[in-house]
Amino acid sequence: MNELRLFGVANYPEVTEGDRLADLIAERTTLEDGDVVVVTSKIVAKAEGRVVSVDRSDSVARTQLIDDHATRTLRKRGDLMITETVHGFVCANSGIDWSNVGAGSAVLLPRDPDRAAFKIRERLRAAQQVEVAVIVSDTFGRAWRNGVTDVALGSSGIKPILDLRGSLDHHGNEMTGTQICIVDEIASAAELVMGKARRVPVVVVRGIDPEWLDPTAGDVRGAVVRSASEDLFR
Amino acid sequence: MNELRLFGVANYPEVTEGDRLADLIAERTTLEDGDVVVVTSKIVAKAEGRVVSVDRSDSVARTQLIDDHATRTLRKRGDLMITETVHGFVCANSGIDWSNVGAGSAVLLPRDPDRAAFKIRERLRAAQQVEVAVIVSDTFGRAWRNGVTDVALGSSGIKPILDLRGSLDHHGNEMTGTQICIVDEIASAAELVMGKARRVPVVVVRGIDPEWLDPTAGDVRGAVVRSASEDLFR
């Protein structure tokens, strides 16, 4: 691969509970085999009806909601809680978001982002007879660096991590420790097209190395989420 | 912006001390105003002569080298040290890398990646009369998630962080806490084209929102590197 193209799916409508996200994509764009379709977790969650009525200014209710969706709290400072979600993600406020939703409401994370990615992929195949990969993305902060970037919460049809251990660089050295989280890199790339205030919740990435796509690949929860016991920072 | 294109600079030569990276880029590709040129820190460091003779199998010398380029060690497990570098980056082994270099040698991080980005940008402008941005990238691990992704070590001519605080989403809610680290997202996107074992150390990103480019923008050290006092995980 020596060129990558990313473009947003135009005129994607506001999503509400019960919407079939894949159909809304298929009606608006023509996919090709090997495309990677990146979908924000926000619309996955909305389609799942994961919207709750909690005012962000009600700090007791807000903290309770974040706690309810966490298995542990790593840090707390002012309004900010760094928690581990029931999925195993470590992020701010259990991933609960008060933006891009009506006032007084909050959007939870999707129930099972890998499963959501799988279902969208299945349905895109049925609609357009294409073999694509799907990534469900969200915006997370990081330790040690300011600012947020998009990462993958779920994936289907693509290797979440490209494992180059054992392969040789062009000096003939064995590459060690090089396991590239391509699904996070693709989510970050897609965010550049999505923007945050613009209504571009779906981005198509074209030109990904065909070897990275794999209908039987594992998923984000299995490959990317690091267990607490393996983690040096929990 | 609704489409982004990324392509590698073809046939980039092996870099050695004293090479002028910008000239090697300008000889191989025609840039346009608004392009973002992503350059791996590896070739920046090689051009700076930041190659040292330390065998990776000599664990005493290896540990000493990593220590010499760290201001603190956060964690240690087996061969892996998580350190804070003299630049303020938190990463594995002070960013010192034994891959993509001759046997028995290691490559340090560039002395000042922001300054390196600035100089490459100045020289590209002189060579092709274009106003571009430059990002110096490297591959770092993360807390909480498996696999590595590329991040920006230095930048010039682009806002490192897009600050959306105070702007409104399409529901009219004020966006809070949304400071997107676009230089890290661009570095990650470029990595998808670079690969690791292939010799593609320079990638051009075309189609970035012109508003993100700013000749007077701050740099990575100023905007992205989080100080220990502000960090919840140090």
Side-chain angles (χ1 to χ4, degrees):
Chain A
M1 172 194 58
N2 212 21
E3 176 158 340
L4 206 62
R5 284 210 310 134
L6 296 96
F7 53 90
V9 172
N11 303 313
Y12 204 88
E14 186 67 26
V15 169
T16 54
E17 184 168 0
D19 282 349
R20 289 184 176 279
L21 301 181
D23 294 354
L24 298 174
I25 296 167
E27 287 160 11
R28 283 165 180 78
T29 194
T30 304
L31 297 170
E32 298 179 3
D33 285 333
D35 284 348
V36 181
V37 181
V38 184
V39 181
T40 64
S41 78
K42 182 67 63 74
I43 64 169
V44 173
K46 284 182 174 177
E48 290 178 357
R50 302 267 287 171
V51 180
V52 294
S53 295
V54 171
D55 205 294
R56 92 182 299 160
S57 61
D58 180 344
S59 80
V60 173
R62 188 173 175 281
T63 302
Q64 185 62 52
L65 181 67
I66 294 167
D67 267 339
D68 286 348
H69 291 87
T71 54
R72 80 173 83 188
T73 300
L74 278 73
R75 297 285 189 283
K76 202 166 175 172
R77 183 164 66 187
D79 247 9
L80 175 68
M81 294 168 68
I82 309 293
T83 57
E84 180 178 326
T85 73
V86 292
H87 321 78
F89 303 125
V90 175
C91 59
N93 303 329
S94 304
I96 299 168
D97 194 356
W98 276 262
S99 66
N100 289 306
V101 67
S105 292
V107 184
L108 310 175
L109 291 184
R111 276 185 202 88
D112 181 343
D114 285 313
R115 174 87 189 147
F118 173 77
K119 286 172 68 177
I120 293 169
R121 177 170 151 253
E122 292 277 293
R123 204 156 171 94
L124 288 173
R125 184 195 294 118
Q128 298 199 346
Q129 293 75 53
V130 284
E131 202 52 66
V132 299
V134 174
I135 291 172
V136 174
S137 69
D138 205 335
T139 304
F140 281 4
R142 304 84 59 80
W144 318 315
R145 296 175 74 83
N146 295 322
V148 294
T149 62
D150 269 25
V151 296
L153 299 195
S155 69
S156 180
I158 182 170
K159 298 170 187 170
I161 289 189
L162 196 66
D163 195 342
L164 299 178
R165 287 176 301 178
S167 58
L168 302 181
D169 66 24
H170 64 273
H171 288 272
N173 298 323
E174 192 179 337
M175 307 283 286
T176 54
T178 305
Q179 297 173 278
I180 304 173
C181 188
I182 51 176
V183 290
D184 280 356
E185 293 190 327
I186 294 169
S188 276
E191 199 287 318
L192 295 165
V193 178
M194 289 177 175
K196 276 288 154 276
R198 286 163 290 170
R199 202 177 302 190
V200 184
V202 182
V203 167
V204 178
V205 184
R206 187 161 290 165
I208 288 292
D209 190 331
E211 290 188 12
W212 300 356
L213 303 184
D214 178 358
T216 65
D219 57 20
V220 169
R221 192 184 294 198
V224 181
V225 173
R226 184 176 289 160
S227 66
S229 63
E230 288 171 346
D231 193 4
L232 296 172
F233 295 93
R234 233 174 308 178
Chain B
M1 173 194 58
N2 212 22
E3 176 160 340
L4 207 62
R5 284 210 310 134
L6 298 96
F7 53 91
V9 172
N11 303 314
Y12 205 86
E14 186 68 24
V15 169
T16 53
E17 184 169 0
D19 281 349
R20 287 183 177 280
L21 302 181
D23 294 353
L24 297 174
I25 296 167
E27 288 161 11
R28 284 166 179 76
T29 195
T30 303
L31 297 170
E32 298 180 4
D33 284 334
D35 285 347
V36 181
V37 181
V38 184
V39 181
T40 63
S41 79
K42 182 66 65 75
I43 64 169
V44 173
K46 284 183 174 178
E48 291 178 357
R50 303 266 287 168
V51 180
V52 293
S53 293
V54 172
D55 205 294
R56 93 183 297 159
S57 61
D58 180 345
S59 81
V60 173
R62 189 172 174 282
T63 302
Q64 185 62 49
L65 181 68
I66 294 166
D67 267 339
D68 287 347
H69 291 86
T71 54
R72 80 172 84 189
T73 300
L74 279 73
R75 297 286 190 281
K76 201 166 175 172
R77 185 164 64 186
D79 247 7
L80 174 70
M81 294 167 68
I82 309 293
T83 58
E84 181 179 324
T85 73
V86 291
H87 322 77
F89 304 126
V90 175
C91 59
N93 304 328
S94 303
I96 298 169
D97 193 356
W98 276 261
S99 66
N100 289 307
V101 67
S105 292
V107 183
L108 310 175
L109 290 184
R111 277 186 200 88
D112 181 343
D114 286 312
R115 175 85 190 148
F118 173 78
K119 286 172 69 177
I120 293 169
R121 176 170 151 256
E122 290 278 291
R123 205 157 170 93
L124 288 173
R125 183 195 296 117
Q128 298 198 345
Q129 291 75 53
V130 284
E131 202 50 68
V132 299
V134 174
I135 291 172
V136 173
S137 69
D138 206 337
T139 305
F140 280 5
R142 303 87 55 84
W144 318 315
R145 296 175 74 84
N146 294 322
V148 294
T149 62
D150 269 24
V151 296
L153 299 195
S155 69
S156 180
I158 182 169
K159 297 171 186 168
I161 290 188
L162 196 66
D163 195 342
L164 300 177
R165 290 175 300 179
S167 58
L168 302 180
D169 67 25
H170 63 273
H171 287 272
N173 298 321
E174 191 179 337
M175 308 282 287
T176 53
T178 303
Q179 297 173 277
I180 304 173
C181 187
I182 52 176
V183 290
D184 280 355
E185 293 190 328
I186 294 170
S188 276
E191 199 287 319
L192 296 164
V193 178
M194 289 177 174
K196 274 287 155 276
R198 287 163 291 169
R199 203 178 302 190
V200 184
V202 182
V203 167
V204 178
V205 184
R206 187 162 291 165
I208 288 291
D209 190 332
E211 290 187 12
W212 301 356
L213 302 184
D214 179 356
T216 65
D219 57 20
V220 169
R221 192 185 294 197
V224 181
V225 172
R226 184 176 287 159
S227 66
S229 64
E230 288 171 345
D231 193 5
L232 295 172
F233 294 93
R234 229 172 311 176

